[in-house]
């Protein structure tokens, strides 16, 4: 099957590079356009990108000429890893022009008509695209976001527990350095240190989790009514965000039942069959000292959330630790999985998969 052409905004940055890496050899998508800053525009990608990941950029992408942010694009599907300021207008302009934009940027996440997607958790929120197109007068474009990278392990681990009723959450994150981008946190600030503040992330943890775990009905998202308190910290780890979670439930299942809920959890159809979806999105680790970023972040090629240390909490009832790879599942990988869902549901015009979806 012919592949869908893809453009990557902010392609030379750390998350943009992760998009390039994960899209290499993708069965449905191929990178045809790379967009960078004015300093990079006009150069070959291999020259413009200071590659910070393992290996090197794919040869076919390295030869592409970097486009400027406001250059017209041909690709029907656009992935955005732009800085917040650059994304504010450009993402909406591209969606208005008919492109489907899957963004890792925070600026539009909490807009009422923008789906905040994690397919295993809220694939039905894709229905908000029709509302978005109607309200904004867009014929074929769309804007779909994925959440803050630290919210990922929280909502992934809580989704199977929704049936018990979630009342209150207390969250303490230990966030990797790559979450700050490149060059990120100065070495003299983070070596031999933990920074008990990550700008903006505590509010995102408290708001985005309620939207993602909410229900889509009557053309809107009814956010989950739960109380959330978050503390976010930066630790000297390269990749992998670990969150210590305490939760109060309306019901009182035993720990063995909760663990079974986690290990048997699967996303709704067609999510498990998508190319980037892991066969089991959650794993529970029995070792008392797991999950750990260095040992567990690459589970399922970085798309599996690892959970451990479930035990009783004398204040809220239950406590445990959850870990996700922040630049894979928490960023580029989730955006790609979102795009795969949009493709099979027929939302990407010009995609060969749209024709398959229309024929169903």
């Amino acid at each position: 099957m012919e592949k869908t052409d893809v453009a990557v905004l902010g392609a030379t940055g750390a998350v943009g590079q992760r998009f390039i890496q994960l899209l290499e050899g993708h069965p449905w998508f191929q990178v045809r356009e790379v967009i960078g800053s004015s300093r990079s525009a006009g150069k070959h990608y291999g020259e413009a990108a200071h590659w910070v990941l393992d290996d090197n950029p794919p040869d076919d992408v390295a030869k592409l000429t970097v486009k400027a942010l406001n250059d017209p694009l041909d690709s029907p599907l656009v992935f955005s890893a732009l800085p917040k300021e650059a994304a504010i207008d450009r993402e909406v302009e591209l969606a208005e022009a008919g492109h489907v934009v899957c963004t890792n940027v925070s600026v539009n996440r909490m807009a009422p008509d923008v789906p905040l997607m994690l397919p295993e958790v809220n694939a039905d929120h894709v229905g908000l695209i029709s509302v978005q197109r109607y309200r904004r007068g867009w014929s074929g474009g769309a804007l779909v976001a994925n959440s803050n990278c630290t919210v990922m392990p929280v909502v992934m681990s809580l989704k199977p527990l929704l049936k018990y009723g979630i009342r209150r959450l207390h969250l303490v994150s230990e966030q990797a350095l790559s979450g700050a981008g490149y060059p990120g946190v100065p070495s003299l600030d983070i070596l031999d240190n933990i920074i008990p503040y990550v700008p903006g992330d505590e509010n995102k943890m408290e708001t985005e989790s309620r939207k993602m775990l909410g229900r889509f009905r009557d053309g809107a998202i009814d956010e989950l009514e739960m109380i959330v308190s978050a503390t976010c910290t930066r630790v000297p780890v390269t990749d992998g965000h670990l969150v210590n979670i305490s939760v109060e439930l309306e019901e009182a299942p035993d720990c063995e039942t909760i663990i079974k809920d986690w290990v048997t959890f699967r996303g709704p159809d067609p999510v498990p069959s998508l190319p980037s979806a892991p066969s089991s999105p959650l794993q529970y680790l029995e070792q008392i000292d797991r999950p750990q970023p260095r040992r567990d972040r690459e589970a399922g090629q970085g798309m599996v959330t690892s959970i451990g240390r479930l035990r009783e909490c004398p204040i809220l009832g239950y406590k445990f630790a959850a870990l996700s790879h922040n630049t894979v599942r928490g960023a580029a990988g989730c955006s790609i999985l979102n795009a795969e869902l949009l493709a099979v549901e027929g939302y990407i015009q010009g995609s060969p998969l749209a024709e398959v979806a229309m024929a169903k």
Side-chain angles (χ1 to χ4, degrees):
M1 183 176 61
E2 183 181 353
K3 294 184 179 183
T4 300
D5 290 346
V6 165
V8 179
L9 305 178
T12 59
V15 174
Q17 291 180 26
R18 185 68 78 179
F19 274 115
I20 300 298
Q21 183 189 63
L22 295 178
L23 288 166
E24 183 180 11
H26 193 281
W28 298 353
F29 306 143
Q30 58 185 350
V31 177
R32 290 295 194 186
E33 298 171 293
V34 287
I35 295 85
S37 66
S38 57
R39 298 187 305 273
S40 302
K43 299 178 182 178
H44 287 146
Y45 181 79
E47 175 190 2
H50 174 60
W51 193 255
V52 297
L53 303 178
D54 293 341
D55 299 321
N56 294 298
D59 289 341
D60 55 341
V61 177
K63 297 173 184 176
L64 293 176
T65 299
V66 178
K67 293 187 173 183
L69 181 59
N70 292 318
D71 286 349
L73 301 180
D74 297 319
S75 301
L77 176 60
V78 178
F79 292 112
S80 177
L82 288 172
K84 181 178 179 180
E85 295 76 15
I88 291 173
D89 295 324
R90 189 56 176 151
E91 290 182 351
V92 174
E93 290 170 356
L94 288 168
E96 187 176 16
H99 303 273
V100 171
V101 181
C102 291
T103 178
N104 183 65
V105 189
S106 65
V107 63
N108 290 302
R109 287 177 189 155
M110 295 304 293
D113 62 353
V114 173
L116 187 57
M117 296 280 295
L118 178 54
E120 290 94 343
V121 170
N122 60 356
D124 63 314
H125 289 199
V126 73
L128 198 58
I129 293 177
S130 298
V131 177
Q132 180 188 97
R133 287 175 171 174
Y134 175 77
R135 288 180 178 174
R136 302 195 185 203
W138 296 347
S139 59
L143 180 59
V144 176
N146 54 272
S147 77
N148 173 270
C149 48
T150 320
V151 178
M152 291 289 181
V154 176
V155 296
M156 284 292 290
S157 60
L158 290 179
K159 175 63 175 181
L161 308 186
L162 271 179
K163 61 186 177 183
Y164 302 120
I166 300 173
R167 288 176 174 167
R168 293 188 293 170
L169 282 180
H170 182 250
L171 310 171
V172 180
S173 73
E174 297 169 274
Q175 297 175 217
L177 293 171
S178 57
Y182 187 89
V185 183
S187 60
L188 289 179
D189 287 340
I190 195 61
L191 290 174
D192 189 33
N193 202 17
I194 293 174
I195 301 173
Y197 173 64
V198 180
D201 279 14
E202 291 173 354
N203 178 67
K204 294 171 187 174
M205 294 272 278
E206 295 169 357
T207 57
E208 293 178 16
S209 57
R210 289 194 287 262
K211 182 175 181 179
M212 296 178 76
L213 292 168
R215 295 177 59 188
F216 174 62
R217 57 183 176 184
D218 299 328
I221 304 298
D222 290 341
E223 295 185 6
L224 183 64
E225 294 184 1
M226 63 178 177
I227 298 172
V228 187
S229 176
T231 297
C232 294
T233 72
R234 186 76 70 193
V235 298
V237 169
T238 304
D239 292 306
H241 287 352
L242 180 70
V243 185
N244 293 289
I245 301 170
S246 295
V247 58
E248 180 182 52
L249 303 175
E250 294 176 5
E251 299 180 24
D254 57 39
C255 289
E256 290 74 16
T257 299
I258 290 177
I259 292 172
K260 183 179 179 181
D261 289 333
W262 281 330
V263 299
T264 59
F265 173 70
R266 302 291 184 273
D269 289 334
V271 177
S273 62
L274 299 177
S276 298
S279 57
S280 299
L282 301 175
Q283 67 170 351
Y284 185 80
L285 303 172
E286 298 285 352
Q287 300 95 317
I288 193 62
D289 61 349
R290 302 282 281 276
Q292 298 177 14
R294 184 160 58 87
R295 291 184 169 88
D296 302 309
R297 62 193 171 208
E298 298 292 344
Q301 296 181 309
M303 292 294 284
V304 168
T305 296
S306 299
I307 306 171
R309 300 212 64 212
L310 176 64
R311 59 212 189 276
E312 293 184 1
C313 172
I315 298 175
L316 295 183
Y318 307 89
K319 54 185 175 180
F320 57 91
L323 169 78
S324 289
H325 194 303
N326 55 295
T327 66
V328 181
R329 170 58 85 166
C334 185
S335 283
I336 294 170
L337 187 61
N338 285 343
E340 292 168 359
L341 177 62
L342 299 181
V344 299
E345 295 292 344
Y347 286 102
I348 304 177
Q349 294 185 4
S351 166
L353 285 165
E355 299 177 8
V356 176
M358 293 292 291
K360 289 182 180 179

